Structures are given as C-alpha cells and as structure tokens.
C-alpha cells in the first residue's frame, strides 16, 4: 500500500469518528499549549537576564583588584602590589586584548549657579571604547588633548541649584508633583563646564565653604555624551589617565598649602613612590570563552579577578533549571494527552476488528495494518500539535500584552524590556516534531495489537 493511500485512509478513519477524534485532539492541544507556554516563559527569563546583564556592563571585561587578607597581617615586602609592573605582567597573559589602570575620584561640576557631583574616571581610551558604550552625541575623549571629557548620560540631569526651590535639592533629583523628568538645566555639549576636585564647595548648608580659599576651577571640554540607561556609565565622567593625574597632582599641591604638613609628624611614614598602587585594573578579553582561564591566571598572581561571565553562568544555570521545571509542569498535560491517544487507538481496534480481518483476507500486509494505526496516531499528534502552537502563540501574545513593561528581572534602565514569553522558531519546530513522536509512541502498542489479531477471530467478531 502506498504511503499516500495510507494517509488518506487514516484521515478517513479519523473523520468517521469525529467526536472521539476531536476529544482526543483537545487533550493534545491543551498539552501542547501548556508545555510551549511554560518553555516560552523560560526562554523569556533567559532573554531578560541577558538584557539585564548587558545593561550592567561589558561581558568582556575582567575587573582586577587587590586581594585583602584580614586574618593575616603581612609585611610590605610580601604584599602583592597592583602597580605598573603588575599591569605589564597581565598584558603578557595569552588571550588578553587590552589592559588599563582605572583611577577614580569624586569631583564637583559647575555651570553658573548649577552644580553637580560626578565620579571622574581616568582610563585608557581604547579599553573604554572596546566596551562599546553607546554615544548619543559627540565622540570619545581625545587623549592628546588635556581636560577633554566624555560624560555619562545622567550627568546633564544631575545639575541643580543648591539654593533653588520648587522641589529641587542638590544632586539633581526632582521631587515636585508628577514623574516626568524635566529637561536638563545645562547643555554640557555647548556650555562651558567648570570642574573642581573640592566637593565641599557649593554644598548647601556650608556657606563658609564659598568664603574659604578653594582650588581654581578647571575649564573642561566635553567631547561626547553617552546614552542614558547603563548604570555602569550613567554617573561617570571619563578622561585620559594623563588628565586625571594632572588634576590629582594639582589638587594634592593645593591641599598641602591649605592643610598642615603631617609628613614629618612622629609615626607617619614617607610615601614610597615605587609602591604606588591602583585600586582597579580593567582587562579586556575579545574571546569570552577564555575569560575563566585568564581570570584564574590573574588570581594565581595574587589578585582578585571578577567578571560578568561568572554571573552569566550562574544565572543561566538557574534559568535552565527553571525552564526544565516549567517544561516538566507543562509536560504532565501532554502525558495525559498521550494516554488519551492510546485509549482512542485501543477503542478503535475493538470497533474495527472485523474490518481488520477483512483487510488481511484481501491481501493487506501486517505492516500495512500497523502503519495505518500508527499513521492515525501520528496525525492526531501532528494536527493537535499545530493547533496547540497556534493557541500558544495567541496565549503568549496575550500574556505579553498584559505584562508589558514587566520582566522577571526588572529589565535595563532606559532600555526596552524583553517580553515575558518568547517563542523562538526552534520551539515551533520542536513542538510539531515532539507531538508527532508522542502520537507515534502512544499508538505503537495498539498498532501491534491490531497487527497480531487472528484473521479467524477477527471475522467471527460481531
């Protein structure tokens, strides 16, 4: 018997018993819809995690810091220093693309009567650029130009008048009625910005601060502005290490003039310039697969080494477990549907026993009879699976519409939040293949039973 004839005959047999076929299909549809929706929630969870981590920073960066042992006090000679020599050693590790010391200090920004706090970061331009922070205007700072800066996206909104009213207070927060953010009071790209390392200057409640001698504010240029939405960059201003060192050096000189010289007091050790250390060193690795290996090499050198990849692996493991649990819950209903298919096939055999006997008499092979029942079971699984996928798509769209803007992990600030339920193409294909296989497996034993029926017993059956 040709396969096409077998399929046509099987379709006819299912159509003759419409009510039973429809009820069996309903079980498969419910099972398919349940398992697809549950797995789609797991996929949505993964995408939400990835979106959140993408906003948290580059996955290619390893942050290197000093390792502290609070239980054991060590001699200076035994300490592992995070200095230029350490940076040079890290650069030589195989797989490392770029390395940069990172220096930070809090500064005050001013434009007229408006002030803002910011964290000034000195870093190599190429290492920052490799992290691919998004620009809204301008370009990255020019390392060859002194006092050239790249501003984080939140900085323009941080400017405020410390003596202003109408719901404002220092720091740029807005407490007036409504939640709509007001426009920035300072256009950092076009207006002259002054920078002062003395953060007490201009703070409300410290009137005497404006009367005391303060370091001369520095006129800076802003070459570019980053996109709002990434907390790693939002409240930072970036410049070259040379500019950072210049500002730090000048500020230290000013402090020595204003404050008493404590370097000659008893118990105060002179600074050993050879042992000047960095608080942090950033290592960029192009191939994220090599990050664990490079991290371990850095740790073996005596430093702390952390990266977002570790968090990604932990959260991905959690998401995989959650996806398996959700899929298992949906799979229960599909198991019930498989039992329904088996029951339908067994009842069909009992009702068609004489028909099976006649088929054997007129020359139908055992494989033809087995194939007919297997085809019927597979068609129930396939058709039920396709309809179930249609219902799953509708359910997923409805779920996303009802939970728009809500994700399992909150989503990134200022960015688009991934949908709660995501059904990728591979899940559609897997759903159709899986339900067809479920139908075949469910119909296998009934088909074997039909194939083994005795011709004489089948023809005698009433």
């Amino acid at each position: 018997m040709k396969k096409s004839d077998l399929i046509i005959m099987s379709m006819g047999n299912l159509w003759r018993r419409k009510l039973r076929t429809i009820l069996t299909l309903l079980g498969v549809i419910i099972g398919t819809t349940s398992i697809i929706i549950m797995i789609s929630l797991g996929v949505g969870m993964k995408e939400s995690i990835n979106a959140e981590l993408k906003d948290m920073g580059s996955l290619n960066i390893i942050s290197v810091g000093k390792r502290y042992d609070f239980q054991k006090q060590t001699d200076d000679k035994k300490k592992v220093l995070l200095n230029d020599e350490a940076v040079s050693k890290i650069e030589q590790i195989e797989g490392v693309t770029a390395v940069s010391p990172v220096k930070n200090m809090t500064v005050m920004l001013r434009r007229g009567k408006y002030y803002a706090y910011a964290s000034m970061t000195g870093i190599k331009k190429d290492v920052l650029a490799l992290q691919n922070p998004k620009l809204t205007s301008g370009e990255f700072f020019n390392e060859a130009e002194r006092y050239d800066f790249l501003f984080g996206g939140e900085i323009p909104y941080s400017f405020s008048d410390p003596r202003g009213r109408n719901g404002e207070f220092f720091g740029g927060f807005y407490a007036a009625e409504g939640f709509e953010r007001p426009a920035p009071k300072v256009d950092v790209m076009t207006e002259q910005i002054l920078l002062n390392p003395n953060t007490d200057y201009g703070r409300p409640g410290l009137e005497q601060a404006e009367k005391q001698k303060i370091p001369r504010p520095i006129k800076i240029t802003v070459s570019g502005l980053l996109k709002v939405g990434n907390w790693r960059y939002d409240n930072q201003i970036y410049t070259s290490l040379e500019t950072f060192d210049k500002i730090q050096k000048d500020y230290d000189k000013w402090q020595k003039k204003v404050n008493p010289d404590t370097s000659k007091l008893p118990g105060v050790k002179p600074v050993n310039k050879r042992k000047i250390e960095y608080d942090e060193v950033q290592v960029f690795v192009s191939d994220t697969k090599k990050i664990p290996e490079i991290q371990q090499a850095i740790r073996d050198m005596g430093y702390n080494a952390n990266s977002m990849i570790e968090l990604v692996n932990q959260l991905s493991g959690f998401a995989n477990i959650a996806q398996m649990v959700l899929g298992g819950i949906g799979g229960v209903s599909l198991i019930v549907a498989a039992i329904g298919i088996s029951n339908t096939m067994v009842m069909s055999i009992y009702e068609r026993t004489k028909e099976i006997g006649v088929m054997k008499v007129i020359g139908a092979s055992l494989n033809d009879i087995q194939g007919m029942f297997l085809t019927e079971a597979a068609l129930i699984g396939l058709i039920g699976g396709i309809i179930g996928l249609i219902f799953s798509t509708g359910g997923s769209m409805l779920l996303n519409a009802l939970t728009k803007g809500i994700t399992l992990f909150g989503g990134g600030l200022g960015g688009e939040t991934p949908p709660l339920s995501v059904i990728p193409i591979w899940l559609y294909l897997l759903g159709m293949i899986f339900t067809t296989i479920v139908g075949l497996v469910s119909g296998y034993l009934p088909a074997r039973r039909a194939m083994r029926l005795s011709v004489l017993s089948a023809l005698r059956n009433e």
Side-chain angles (χ1 to χ4, degrees):
M1 186 181 296
K2 295 180 180 179
K3 290 184 179 180
S4 58
D5 295 336
L6 196 62
I7 293 173
I8 293 171
M9 184 181 293
S10 299
M11 290 289 289
N13 291 332
L14 293 175
W15 184 249
R16 275 187 296 164
R17 297 165 179 81
K18 291 185 286 290
L19 181 60
R20 183 185 298 165
T21 301
I22 290 171
L23 292 174
T24 307
L25 280 172
L26 279 175
V28 179
I29 292 168
I30 293 171
T32 304
T33 303
S34 299
I35 194 169
I36 294 297
I37 289 292
M38 290 297 183
I39 293 177
S40 75
L41 289 174
V43 175
M45 182 185 296
K46 283 186 175 181
E47 292 201 2
S48 183
I49 289 172
N50 290 334
E52 184 77 6
L53 293 176
K54 187 177 180 180
D55 280 344
M56 291 174 69
S58 173
L59 299 181
N60 300 76
I61 288 291
I62 299 174
S63 180
V64 181
K66 292 179 289 186
R67 183 180 298 172
Y68 294 96
D69 189 349
F70 296 104
Q71 296 179 347
K72 182 174 64 175
Q73 297 294 329
T74 59
D75 188 84
D76 286 349
K77 295 180 181 179
K78 296 180 181 179
K79 286 183 179 179
V80 179
L81 304 177
L82 190 59
N83 51 19
D84 290 329
E85 184 180 350
V87 171
S88 179
K89 289 181 180 178
I90 293 171
E91 286 177 330
Q92 295 173 17
I93 298 175
E94 185 178 355
V96 170
T97 306
V99 182
S100 174
V102 177
K103 300 179 180 181
N104 293 288
M105 69 181 296
T106 303
V107 296
M108 183 80 71
L109 302 174
R110 180 180 179 182
R111 170 61 187 175
K113 65 179 181 179
Y114 297 111
Y115 296 82
Y117 284 125
S119 178
M120 181 175 69
T121 299
I123 189 172
K124 289 183 180 178
K125 178 182 175 180
D126 60 339
V127 172
L128 181 62
L130 284 170
Q131 298 177 43
N132 197 28
K134 305 300 181 184
L135 288 163
T136 56
S137 59
E139 57 186 8
F140 285 87
F141 59 84
N142 186 349
E143 288 184 309
E145 186 177 338
R146 182 168 290 181
Y147 304 136
D148 196 37
F149 283 80
L150 171 68
F151 273 29
E154 286 288 347
I155 298 299
Y157 297 95
S158 299
F159 283 90
S160 62
D161 182 358
R163 292 161 185 78
R165 296 181 181 179
N166 300 324
E168 283 186 45
F169 63 88
F170 196 69
F173 294 94
Y174 194 76
E177 293 182 3
F179 297 95
E180 186 177 351
R181 167 176 270 183
K185 295 178 176 59
V186 176
D187 186 348
V188 297
M189 294 297 296
T190 59
E191 299 182 64
Q192 178 64 66
I193 306 297
L194 301 178
L195 181 147
N196 198 312
N198 183 1
T199 55
D200 284 338
Y201 177 60
R203 185 182 297 178
L206 294 180
E207 298 294 336
Q208 69 278 11
E210 295 203 23
K211 297 178 182 178
Q212 72 177 11
K213 186 177 180 182
I214 60 170
R216 178 180 294 180
I218 303 164
K219 292 182 179 180
I220 65 172
T221 56
V222 181
S223 60
L225 185 64
L226 295 174
K227 183 179 180 181
V228 177
N230 192 320
W231 66 266
R232 186 184 181 102
Y233 310 111
D234 277 343
N235 295 294
Q236 305 285 324
I237 61 173
Y238 294 93
T239 189
S240 65
L241 289 165
E242 291 74 15
T243 293
F244 186 99
D245 289 340
K246 172 63 177 172
I247 294 172
Q248 181 73 68
K249 184 179 179 181
D250 291 344
Y251 185 54
D252 289 343
K253 285 182 179 179
W254 172 83
Q255 283 186 315
K256 286 181 180 180
K257 290 181 181 179
V258 175
N259 300 318
D261 184 8
T262 58
S263 62
K264 297 179 181 180
L265 293 177
V268 177
K269 296 181 180 180
V271 177
N272 187 340
K273 294 184 178 180
R274 287 190 307 105
K275 295 186 177 181
I276 292 177
E277 299 180 76
Y278 303 116
D279 291 325
E280 181 188 1
V281 170
Q282 286 189 4
V283 180
F284 187 89
V285 181
S286 298
D287 187 356
T288 55
K289 294 179 182 179
K290 294 183 179 180
I291 285 182
E293 178 186 343
I294 294 172
Q295 273 186 272
Q296 189 56 51
I298 294 172
R299 286 169 181 163
D300 291 341
M301 293 168 62
Y303 307 106
N304 282 329
N306 302 301
S307 71
M308 296 298 296
I309 288 294
E310 293 175 317
L311 185 58
V312 169
N313 293 336
Q314 291 174 3
L315 292 179
S316 294
F318 167 75
N320 288 334
I321 293 172
Q323 193 172 35
M324 289 174 63
V325 171
L326 291 171
I329 294 171
V332 171
S333 55
L334 200 58
I335 292 173
V336 174
I339 295 172
I341 294 174
S342 294
N343 180 64
T344 298
M345 292 296 99
V346 170
M347 293 303 296
S348 180
I349 290 169
Y350 281 124
E351 292 178 355
R352 295 158 60 189
T353 302
K354 193 168 185 177
E355 178 186 332
I356 294 169
V358 172
M359 289 178 65
K360 288 186 175 182
V361 169
I362 62 175
S365 67
L366 297 179
N367 288 334
D368 289 338
I369 294 171
Q370 183 184 29
M372 181 178 65
F373 282 94
L374 284 176
T375 302
E376 290 178 20
L379 284 172
I380 290 174
L382 178 61
I383 296 170
I386 292 172
I387 298 174
L389 288 172
I390 295 172
F391 276 88
S392 299
T393 303
S396 177
M397 293 172 66
L398 178 62
L399 188 62
N400 290 333
L402 294 174
T403 60
K404 189 175 182 180
I406 302 173
T407 62
L408 294 173
F409 287 86
L413 294 173
E416 295 184 3
T417 55
L420 196 65
S421 172
V422 178
I423 306 178
I425 297 297
W426 63 263
L427 189 53
Y428 283 108
L429 297 175
L430 182 64
M432 287 189 291
I433 295 171
F434 186 64
T435 52
T436 304
I437 292 173
V438 167
L440 285 170
V441 172
S442 303
Y444 179 73
L445 290 179
R448 295 286 294 179
R449 179 185 176 87
M451 184 181 70
R452 292 175 180 175
L453 275 177
S454 167
V455 176
L456 187 59
S457 298
L459 292 175
R460 287 178 178 176
N461 184 67
E462 296 294 334

